[in-house]
DNA sequence: TACTGTGAAGCTATTCACAGCG
DNA sequence: CGCTGTGAATAGCTTCACAGTA
């Protein structure tokens, strides 16, 4: 059966955000040779409740079989298509400090659906180096390189102070998807998507809950008054 | 005025997740010498709407002045306290590949409220190296080190295959806050918080929207049929 | 029978719009 | 007056519970 390739109605954001988890779980199952899976099993593998999984999948269409479950390969393929991973999106990474370097290495190998086509940095020490098989270019050539190589998604791993300027330049040459690792808010025009990944935000959210737990259960406080850290 | 130090009623998760943004914006304002800020201005700086900001802050108590706005220092201090950043939480990082290395370097310097007290890896090549001023120890000593150094939060930056085992060991010695960078779901008992940061999930969400935009506006498709990438 | 897909209910979060106060 | 804090309205998400079906 060939899946319906229409643009399809809107899928809720919360659902879209979970599709990658389902896809990963399906690939694991596929690697283990599992052919069919129930909503209960797949939900467990993805760390959600089965009702939520079924509701999510229902937004893609009817890909399950009542009384049986979902075909692993077919569902994986459908989610892959829906997420737009049937092609390889050209990605640029700006800022090749520790983090940018790690991101380049990770993306250079591990990820289907994306291809790193440009690495950019400001530092003359770094320009010309080869990382994950790609030569780091000067950020001065951003506009030319983005256009020539058809960059669709940019990953910003610069210091916060440079992030907005770099972002503006990407947007000016037509990039509409931005993944921001710099600890700052980016303003972009209508039609451009920004997603943010921020280590310290995540830690702070954990700290909030940790503090609540410590207050509720004073037995298990940290062992001693903690050292002060330089600012 | 000394702020009320009671444990306080529950703050919605969505609000907690935004407090770090507000705090960052407030620190920026403070650095620029701004003493007072309206909800409209602070909301703009944090990238949200003012009604949402006011609703969020109202969960902390009444720290604003009608007709005037919020005191920058006072509000920053209140959020710091509420997030549990008045102390330095001891953090351990496991897995010092590219990513773990970058995280250690970042946390070693940039972040108030946290102190890296342990770096752990399995690889004999890496053990004994010094990163951000801390000697990498063997993951074999995890239990002893976590206990001795009072680790409250662990950051998992190992390959996916090891993540669950490492996580179980942390949980077994009392760690209740986990930040997971490995691309897999972690199961933990009740009372343990896990937050996940995942580059490829974020990219896939962007790809979904990028595909929608490309379908809606075929002018701006990627320039050519893309190269296939090795699996 | 054993499961999916979904109406309906319940819950959480966002937004509006303005009363109330400095 | 100008702004905060919040009741009320709205929108969105999750969960329940079961009708429907292979």
């Amino acid at each position: 059966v060939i899946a319906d390739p229409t643009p399809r109605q809107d899928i809720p954001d919360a659902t879209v955000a979970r599709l990658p988890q389902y896809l990963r779980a399906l690939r694991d199952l596929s690697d283990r040779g599992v052919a069919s899976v129930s909503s209960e099993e797949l939900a467990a593998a993805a760390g959600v409740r089965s009702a939520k999984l079924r509701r999510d999948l229902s937004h893609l269409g009817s890909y399950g079989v009542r009384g049986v479950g979902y075909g692993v390969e077919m569902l994986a393929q459908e989610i892959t298509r829906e997420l737009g991973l049937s092609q390889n999106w050209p990605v640029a990474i700006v800022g090749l400090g520790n983090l940018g370097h790690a991101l380049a290495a990770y993306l250079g190998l591990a990820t289907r659906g994306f291809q790193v086509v440009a690495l950019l940095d400001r530092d003359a020490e770094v320009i010309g180096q080869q990382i994950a098989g790609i030569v780091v270019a000067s950020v001065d050539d951003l506009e030319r390189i983005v256009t020539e190589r058809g960059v669709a998604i940019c990953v910003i791993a610069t210091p916060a102070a440079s992030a907005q300027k770099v972002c503006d330049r990407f947007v000016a040459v037509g990039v509409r998807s931005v993944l921001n690792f710099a600890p700052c808010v980016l303003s972009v025009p209508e039609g451009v998507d920004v997603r943010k990944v921020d280590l310290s935000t995540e830690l702070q959210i954990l700290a909030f809950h940790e503090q609540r737990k410590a207050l509720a259960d004073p037995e298990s406080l940290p062992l001693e008054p903690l050292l002060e850290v330089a600012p």
Side-chain angles (χ1 to χ4, degrees), chain A:
Chain A
V1 178
I2 293 180
D4 166 16
T6 34
R8 200 168 284 295
Q9 84 278 0
D10 55 315
I11 298 176
D13 284 348
T15 295
V16 173
R18 283 185 294 266
L19 291 180
Q21 324 284 341
Y22 302 154
L23 182 54
R24 173 134 54 218
L26 286 165
R27 284 176 178 161
D28 288 353
L29 290 168
S30 173
D31 290 350
R32 276 189 270 138
V34 178
S36 177
V37 68
S38 71
S39 65
E40 206 66 57
E41 294 163 333
L42 183 54
V48 301
R49 301 215 172 264
S50 65
K52 190 188 270 188
L53 175 82
R54 289 200 302 278
R55 173 75 68 194
D56 283 341
L57 295 185
S58 77
H59 292 293
L60 309 184
S62 267
Y63 291 93
V65 181
R66 288 168 197 250
V68 178
Y70 300 89
V72 170
E73 291 301 336
M74 188 207 190
L75 186 54
Q77 201 171 343
E78 166 56 19
I79 294 177
T80 298
R81 196 176 61 78
E82 194 63 61
L83 283 174
L85 305 178
S86 308
Q87 55 194 298
N88 280 314
W89 297 98
V91 173
I93 300 174
V94 209
L96 291 146
N98 277 317
L99 179 60
H101 201 290
L103 298 176
Y106 177 75
L107 269 183
L109 301 176
T111 328
R112 272 168 286 189
F114 305 94
Q115 182 169 11
V116 180
V117 297
L119 301 176
L120 301 169
D121 202 292
R122 196 174 58 180
D123 182 357
E125 291 282 307
V126 181
I127 294 169
Q129 276 185 30
Q130 204 168 339
I131 298 176
I134 296 173
V135 177
V136 178
S138 168
V139 74
D140 293 343
D141 299 328
L142 186 150
E143 286 78 6
R144 180 176 59 74
I145 289 173
V146 167
T147 308
E148 282 178 7
R149 305 188 191 171
V151 169
I153 299 175
C154 72
V155 175
I156 297 181
T158 65
S162 323
Q164 182 68 59
K165 274 178 213 159
V166 166
C167 176
D168 291 344
R169 291 174 65 187
F170 275 109
V171 170
V173 289
V175 172
R176 289 174 300 180
S177 298
V178 179
L179 183 51
N180 181 29
F181 284 85
C184 64
V185 176
L186 294 178
S187 347
V188 294
E190 185 82 1
V192 177
D193 280 304
V194 178
R195 296 194 63 88
K196 215 187 101 182
V197 176
D198 188 337
L199 171 62
S200 76
T201 296
E202 296 301 324
L203 283 175
Q204 288 175 19
I205 295 168
L206 285 174
F208 172 87
H209 294 289
E210 186 68 27
Q211 173 172 249
R212 293 288 167 120
K213 286 182 266 187
L215 288 171
D217 167 21
E219 299 293 311
S220 54
L221 276 169
L223 297 181
E224 64 214 289
L226 297 158
L227 290 100
E228 284 300 316
V229 169

